[in-house]
């Protein structure tokens, strides 16, 4: 998901509209002089996967302009994978987390702006229109896509026999200047090689993943968009996380999350740590991908705020003593405040009551020994 950074020239002696007409005229003259054909997408049709000039019986060969991006990339499943990876990387980089409506709205707008989603097929409604080269009705050659009614190039790649083949680059624009958004390598329509995603706020690399024939295979990493340090690392084998999954604080040094996976399935111990102090904030254990035993969470000061027991992935009900303790606290709280407790408060009471029960049991055991 790398991308080169070019500036659009600010000097427009003919004005934006005039320059676009002049450019189109020059391209048309050049192609005509070279014996090539130029066809506007409005005069084209796709039949059985091949492009024809409307009314003709022989598949078209030449240049086609103003093709909606949804028509150009409809046969490339790899582009959807690349688009999903961009979304995943951008949400991961969100400073306030990805589970909020504003983050999703911003992501949708960004994906539209760089030509990756949604893929429209109607020329009148498409936000991104592409100029392509076609041979015998199939995409074959350079593809350059622009925001509709502008000269802003947001995506470019090469194709062969109807599929993306080679480097694909997507760009974002800020104050009229082109910035990198994504670079990916394709082979016969499938992601193959390194893919890099760049921050939507600056030009820093935020995600890198390796692909082999459309399957994630190799190292996957995420990077902090401000410090540039690595904040996540995992290995993919045959499309699944395999080995240790590690997340780091923005300094790239302090581990904040560690988990082991086998073929995408969590096994053994999972732990989380406070990014500032390094104190343990979470502990869980897995057997064959299912939670097993005690799950605990602590706040940054070390107070236990969550505790549950699991067996084969199923949460066990607390015993009668813990249940009675929780109910007493709920009643006391409601009488004092006139309100119902929130889930976080109930979790904290649950953990406290379990800890209290352990202390009582420990005292009783000590007394029995004496």
């Amino acid at each position: 998901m790398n991308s080169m950074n070019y500036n659009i020239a600010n000097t427009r002696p003919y004005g934006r509209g005039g320059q676009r007409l002049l450019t189109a005229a020059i391209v048309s003259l050049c192609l005509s002089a070279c014996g090539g054909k130029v066809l506007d997408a409005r005069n084209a049709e796709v039949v059985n996967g091949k492009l024809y000039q409307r009314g003709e019986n022989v598949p078209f060969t030449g240049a086609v302009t103003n093709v909606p991006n949804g028509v150009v990339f409809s046969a490339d499943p790899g582009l959807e994978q690349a688009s999903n990876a961009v979304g995943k990387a951008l949400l991961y980089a969100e400073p306030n987390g990805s589970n909020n409506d504003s983050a999703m709205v911003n992501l949708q707008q960004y994906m539209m702006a760089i030509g990756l989603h949604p893929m429209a097929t109607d020329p009148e409604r498409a936000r991104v229109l592409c100029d392509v080269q076609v041979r015998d009705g199939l995409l074959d050659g350079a593809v350059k896509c622009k925001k509709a009614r502008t000269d802003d190039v947001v995506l470019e790649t090469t194709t062969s026999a109807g599929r993306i083949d080679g480097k694909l680059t997507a760009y974002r624009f800020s104050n009229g200047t082109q910035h990198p958004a994504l670079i990916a390598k394709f082979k016969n329509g499938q992601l193959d090689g390194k893919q890099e995603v760049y921050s939507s706020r600056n030009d820093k690399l935020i995600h890198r993943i390796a692909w082999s024939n459309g399957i994630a295979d190799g190292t996957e990493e995420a990077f902090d968009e401000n410090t540039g340090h690595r904040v996540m690392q995992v290995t993919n084998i045959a499309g699944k996380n395999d080995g240790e999954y590690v997340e780091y604080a923005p300094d790239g040094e302090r581990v904040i999350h560690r988990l082991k996976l086998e073929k995408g399935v969590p096994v053994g111990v999972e732990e989380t740590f406070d990014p500032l102090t390094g104190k343990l904030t979470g502990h869980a254990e897995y057997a064959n991908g299912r939670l097993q035993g005690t799950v605990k969470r602590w706040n940054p000061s070390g107070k236990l705020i969550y505790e549950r027991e699991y067996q084969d992935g199923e949460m066990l009900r607390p015993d009668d003593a813990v249940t009675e303790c929780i109910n007493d606290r709920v009643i006391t709280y409601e009488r004092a405040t006139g309100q119902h407790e929130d889930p976080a408060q109930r979790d904290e009471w649950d953990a406290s009551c379990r800890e209290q029960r352990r202390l009582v049991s420990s005292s009783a055991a000590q007394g029995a020994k004496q």
Side-chain angles (χ1 to χ4, degrees), residues 7-61:
N7 292 331
I8 302 300
N10 293 320
T11 304
R12 302 182 184 275
Y14 301 96
R16 181 176 286 271
Q19 185 187 41
R20 187 160 59 250
L21 291 172
L22 180 62
T23 301
I26 292 172
V27 171
S28 179
L29 286 171
C30 177
L31 288 170
S32 298
C34 298
K37 294 181 179 179
V38 181
L39 178 67
D40 189 277
R42 292 171 298 179
N43 300 315
E45 57 185 353
V46 177
V47 180
N48 291 329
K50 289 194 173 185
L51 187 143
Y52 293 77
Q53 182 170 346
R54 195 176 300 278
E56 296 292 328
N57 295 319
V58 178
F60 183 77
T61 294

Side-chain angles (χ1 to χ4, degrees), residues 326-342 345-346 349:
I326 295 171
N327 290 338
D328 287 344
R329 297 194 183 193
V330 169
I331 293 170
T332 300
Y333 178 83
E334 290 181 348
R335 285 176 177 173
T337 66
Q339 299 177 345
H340 294 295
E341 79 284 1
D342 59 41
Q345 179 65 73
R346 190 178 184 90
W349 289 337

